[in-house]
């Protein structure tokens, strides 16, 4: 039997690890960072303070000392405050959920869209609170449908569609009323 010195064993172990990791499917640190949104395509999150909840898909925040109206990307909730429009089913529930979740003075993370603004001057964004995507949460609770899909603002589109499918299958919220949700909005 060959006797190896401690130093030889360490070198042999290092060589084995290098060979193992160079031929495995284990992602590199940079690949992991990319998957988490911190790589070359780094996502810019900005802290903002909640000023008010307008309705289920629109909030007001203080961003860098300026009040901004934020329209949540890729979703549509039933109307609850639109002038000359009756309150639609689940509009109040969506709005109430937002008011309970995004209490005034809460700090949220804003992930701006591209373009950053819609035709009404509202900031387009994904809103995060306590590490959770609020846009997605509205969909999973059955308070919102996936809508207003305009590339390049499609970062979470597949994820949102999966949540929408689950909500439809459970027939919760907007999906509990037959033929209520249409491609162009809500049938009310």
């Amino acid at each position: 039997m060959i006797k190896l010195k401690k130093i030889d064993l360490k070198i042999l172990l290092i060589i084995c690890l290098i060979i193992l990791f160079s031929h495995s499917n284990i992602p590199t640190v940079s690949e992991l960072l990319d998957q988490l949104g911190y790589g070359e395509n780094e996502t810019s999150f900005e802290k903002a303070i909640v000023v008010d909840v307008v309705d289920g898909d629109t909030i007001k925040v203080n961003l860098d000392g300026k009040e901004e109206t934020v329209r949540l990307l890729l979703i549509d909730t039933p109307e609850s405050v639109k002038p000359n429009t009756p309150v639609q089913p689940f509009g109040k529930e969506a709005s109430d959920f937002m008011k309970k979740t995004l209490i005034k003075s809460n700090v949220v993370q804003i992930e701006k869209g591209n373009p950053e603004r819609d035709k009404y001057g509202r900031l387009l964004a994904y809103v995060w609170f306590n590490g959770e995507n609020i846009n997605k949460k509205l969909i999973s609770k059955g308070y919102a449908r996936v809508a207003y899909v305009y590339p390049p603002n499609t970062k979470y589109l597949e994820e949102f569609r999966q949540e929408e499918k689950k909500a439809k299958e459970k027939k919760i919220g907007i999906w509990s009323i037959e033929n209520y949700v249409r491609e162009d909005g809500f049938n009310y």
Side-chain angles (χ1 to χ4, degrees), residues 80-122:
S80 63
V81 296
K82 186 175 181 180
N84 303 317
T85 303
V87 174
Q88 297 174 326
F90 294 99
K92 184 172 178 354
E93 289 83 348
S95 184
D96 287 348
F97 168 77
M98 292 290 279
K99 288 175 183 173
K100 288 177 189 168
T101 305
L102 301 181
I103 299 166
K104 188 175 182 178
S105 298
N106 278 350
V107 175
V108 294
Q109 298 285 336
I110 301 294
E111 184 178 356
K112 292 179 183 176
N114 177 21
E116 288 186 5
R117 299 195 181 271
D118 66 8
K119 64 183 178 182
Y120 304 108
R122 299 176 297 188

Side-chain angles (χ1 to χ4, degrees), residues 131-158:
E132 193 167 39
N133 185 306
I134 298 302
N135 311 47
K136 179 180 172 181
K137 190 75 174 173
L138 283 159
I139 295 167
S140 68
K141 290 193 157 290
Y143 296 143
R145 69 186 183 97
V146 174
Y148 306 114
V149 178
Y150 302 112
N153 287 324
T154 57
K155 181 174 183 179
Y156 301 104
L157 181 59
E158 288 311 310

Side-chain angles (χ1 to χ4, degrees), residues 11-187:
I11 292 171
L12 184 61
L13 178 62
I14 291 170
I15 291 170
C16 288
L17 287 173
I18 291 170
I19 292 169
L20 174 69
F21 285 110
S22 67
H23 297 300
S24 71
N25 289 330
I26 298 171
T28 65
V29 172
S30 93
E31 289 170 334
L32 286 172
L33 289 173
D34 284 342
Q35 289 173 12
L36 294 171
Y38 297 104
E40 285 180 21
N41 299 323
E42 184 175 327
T43 300
S44 175
F45 289 91
E46 296 181 49
K47 286 185 181 178
I49 299 169
V50 176
V51 173
D52 193 21
V53 171
V54 176
D55 61 14
D57 52 29
T58 309
I59 63 173
K60 291 184 184 271
V61 300
N62 182 316
L63 183 64
D64 296 326
K66 182 181 174 194
E67 187 172 302
E68 292 276 6
T69 300
V70 178
R71 176 64 171 78
L72 278 66
L73 277 168
L74 290 181
I75 68 165
D76 183 31
T77 61
E79 297 298 341
S80 63
V81 296
K82 186 175 181 180
N84 303 317
T85 303
V87 174
Q88 297 174 326
F90 294 99
K92 184 172 178 354
E93 289 83 348
S95 184
D96 287 348
F97 168 77
M98 292 290 279
K99 288 175 183 173
K100 288 177 189 168
T101 305
L102 301 181
I103 299 166
K104 188 175 182 178
S105 298
N106 278 350
V107 175
V108 294
Q109 298 285 336
I110 301 294
E111 184 178 356
K112 292 179 183 176
N114 177 21
E116 288 186 5
R117 299 195 181 271
D118 66 8
K119 64 183 178 182
Y120 304 108
R122 299 176 297 188
L123 193 61
L124 298 170
Y126 301 104
V127 176
W128 297 80
F129 180 63
N130 287 338
E132 193 167 39
N133 185 306
I134 298 302
N135 311 47
K136 179 180 172 181
K137 190 75 174 173
L138 283 159
I139 295 167
S140 68
K141 290 193 157 290
Y143 296 143
R145 69 186 183 97
V146 174
Y148 306 114
V149 178
Y150 302 112
N153 287 324
T154 57
K155 181 174 183 179
Y156 301 104
L157 181 59
E158 288 311 310
E159 194 176 324
F160 287 7
R161 284 191 172 145
Q162 289 173 5
E163 286 303 309
E164 183 181 71
K165 183 179 177 192
K166 290 177 195 173
K168 278 183 192 178
E169 289 169 356
K170 292 179 188 174
K171 295 185 178 184
I172 58 173
I174 60 176
W175 306 105
S176 66
I177 303 171
E178 193 172 335
N179 298 319
Y180 176 50
V181 181
R182 298 185 319 205
E183 193 66 32
D184 64 344
F186 299 94
N187 187 19

